[in-house]
Amino acid sequence: MSKSSWLAPALALLLLATGCNRDKPATTDTVDTEEAKVPAAPGFNADSAYAYTAKQVAFGPRVPNSKAHIATGDWIVQKFKTLGLTVKEQPFEAMAFDGKMLRSRNIIAQFQPEAARRVAVFTHWDTRPFADKDDQHKNAPLDGASDGASGVGIALEMARVLAAQPDSSKPSVGIDFILFDSEDYGYDSSTQGELKNQLQAQEEQGKSSWCLGSQYWAQHLLPANYKPEYGILLDMVGAKNAKFSREQLSVEKARDVVDKTWNTAAQIGYSDYFLFQDSPGITDDHVFTNQAGVRTIDIIDHLPVGDEYFPAYHHTTQDNMSIIDKRTLKAVGQTVLQTIYAG
């Protein structure tokens, strides 16, 4: 994913500052699951989310400019339309760090588009073109089962569940599923040092070689003048034993949304996934949605202890359907649904 961490000095200082207590949940943030009221929401079907995830992977690596990428995007658009959502496509072209021009499109699917109050669910749908962390297959493209497909699978299942509800059981807000493209075609200096980053000058000006779709969207908001109450980014949300802690920028920009989401997860029995533990910031799509004025949190799988931020499958060929776990999909999908239904 767009998983280059923030500037190394800042990260180093943050790790030093948090190193003593990162393993311990803050006692003031725990919830009494017996007394807390669990928000009512329809059930999230993990089997269905798994099938949606597998369908994307079956197209082949969703690398921009490839036939698999086009076919997957067409399928996602049609699936949202079949579910009755209002779908808009945002085509754009962006230069990657290696100079390639990427033919891309963001996909926006709106549930209850007439509702004034809105919430955004963000994810990305492309895959990284090279497994640069893989010792054996460094130049192979990824299946991106967790890193991309799982977030889309959860979004599609949420849309299916919502569309099936009678009017009396629908949430009080409209929901916009915004799927970014060309998120994972970034430069990683730790694994690609032999390559030249042709976007280095732009990065020095606050841009990034990662998250090209969300950067474009932030400059060309669709819907126009978009102002939801908050956004939730889903990234790497399908792997077995995934761990989601409270990422730094998420806490800084939308602490109330972090608290509501993590408390909801604890109330419904998923505190083994959603850890009451803070973690360093990461460059991901929420950096740019926050810059666009959408208060966004990031639910992202990463290692809660040690020097390595990401799990072993990250940017390797191990990121295939063999690591996808239905309980993880259920934990994330049900938590997000009930967080939104809580109002």
Side-chain angles (χ1 to χ4, degrees), residues 88 108 110 118 176 178 217 220-227:
K88 300 176 182 179
I108 297 91
Q110 297 184 282
R118 311 205 62 78
D176 303 299
I178 301 180
W217 180 84
H220 307 84
L221 289 178
L222 187 64
N225 303 313
Y226 187 56
K227 291 295 180 183

Side-chain angles (χ1 to χ4, degrees), residues 265 268 270 273-274 326-336:
I268 61 177
Y270 295 120
Y273 291 94
F274 289 80
K326 292 179 183 179
R327 188 170 187 268
T328 303
L329 296 172
K330 174 71 173 181
V332 176
Q334 194 67 57
T335 295
V336 174

